[in-house]
Amino acid sequence: MKNFLRQTLLIGLLLGLAVPTVRAAKGPRKSKKDQVVTISTTLGDIRLVLFDQTPLHKANFLKLAASGFYNGTTFHRVIPNFMVQGGDPNSKDTDPSNDGAGQPNEQLIPAEIRPELTHRRGAVAAARSPDFVNPQRASSPSQFYIVQHPRGTPHLDGQYTVFGQVISGQDIVDKIAQQPTAERNRPVTDLRMTVKVEKVKKKKITELYGYQY
């Protein structure tokens, strides 16, 4: 009888020890907060969120934003009924001819092109070099564009990494796209930006901006 009780107790202890292993396999709990990125310009503020499905692009953008990298850069290329593009560090200087060229030997970001992330209105995507020099479709480490066309730009789906979405200020994107331009679709007046990031509860983001997770 004593042996039976010892065996039963041992089996119970072993089962009890096994439970934490099963729970640990479920992975980390999802955060109840997200980062809201605010791009401020003289025309107003644009707020956006970045997608967890594109972790390399999300982490890179947040790192640059937090470091102040984007502050002073401009929207250097704007095309009405298409998109607005910015984020090139060259746009901080006084030479407009190098805007959009990027830095020599800059480290590209591997493409994270996903079929469910499309070029809808307000989509935030990474700029990149053309296929003939960049067949892997790797992204610029800093330059991005925001889709301005009311019906989106579906012809770009599957070609560029979409990694975020405007949740407020799409009307400001519209204003930027309508600015007078000179050569290479560069605005005549510099549209400089400052970028900040703040953590906000996802529930609050939905309440404030109607964005659904």
Side-chain angles (χ1 to χ4, degrees):
M1 183 66 176
K2 288 182 179 179
N3 287 337
F4 174 76
L5 289 173
R6 287 197 190 98
Q7 291 175 354
T8 303
L9 179 60
L10 180 60
I11 292 171
L13 287 172
L14 289 172
L15 288 173
L17 289 171
V19 171
T21 304
V22 173
R23 288 177 179 169
K26 292 181 179 179
R29 297 172 66 180
K30 288 187 176 181
S31 174
K32 293 183 179 180
K33 292 185 177 182
D34 199 359
Q35 290 96 341
V36 174
V37 177
T38 300
I39 301 175
S40 298
T41 73
T42 55
L43 297 177
D45 293 345
I46 304 165
R47 291 183 175 84
L48 49 98
V49 293
L50 308 180
F51 299 140
D52 290 335
Q53 299 99 306
T54 53
L56 298 178
H57 286 72
K58 180 173 184 175
N60 177 73
F61 192 97
L62 292 176
K63 180 181 178 181
L64 293 179
S67 72
F69 173 92
Y70 285 116
N71 297 340
T73 62
T74 72
F75 283 100
H76 63 269
R77 182 171 176 244
V78 305
I79 304 176
N81 289 318
F82 185 28
M83 60 90 222
V84 301
Q85 181 176 334
D88 182 6
N90 292 338
S91 65
K92 293 182 180 182
D93 65 27
T94 57
D95 179 9
S97 68
N98 64 9
D99 290 2
Q103 298 290 297
N105 302 316
E106 58 188 7
Q107 188 66 44
L108 302 181
I109 306 173
E112 294 180 296
I113 299 171
R114 299 180 62 95
E116 73 272 23
L117 303 179
T118 60
H119 284 77
R120 56 186 289 195
R121 176 170 168 82
V124 182
R128 66 174 179 83
S129 301
D131 284 0
F132 69 88
V133 294
N134 178 27
Q136 292 80 24
R137 295 177 172 173
S139 301
S140 161
S142 66
Q143 294 188 56
F144 64 94
Y145 61 92
I146 302 174
V147 176
Q148 187 265 331
H149 196 288
R151 293 190 297 276
T153 56
H155 62 284
L156 298 180
D157 290 345
Q159 300 183 55
Y160 296 79
T161 297
V162 174
F163 65 97
Q165 179 66 38
V166 170
I167 59 174
S168 174
Q170 185 64 34
D171 59 321
I172 306 303
V173 178
D174 293 339
K175 289 180 182 179
I176 293 173
Q178 296 297 328
Q179 294 302 296
T181 57
E183 293 182 6
R184 298 181 294 117
N185 305 113
R186 187 185 187 279
V188 174
T189 302
D190 286 346
L191 295 171
R192 299 196 181 278
M193 68 180 82
T194 57
V195 181
K196 69 176 183 179
V197 181
E198 57 185 331
K199 278 192 173 183
V200 183
K201 289 183 178 180
K202 291 179 178 179
K203 183 179 179 181
K204 189 68 173 179
I205 293 173
T206 299
E207 291 175 356
L208 289 174
Y209 310 112
Y211 181 78
Q212 298 292 330
Y213 285 90

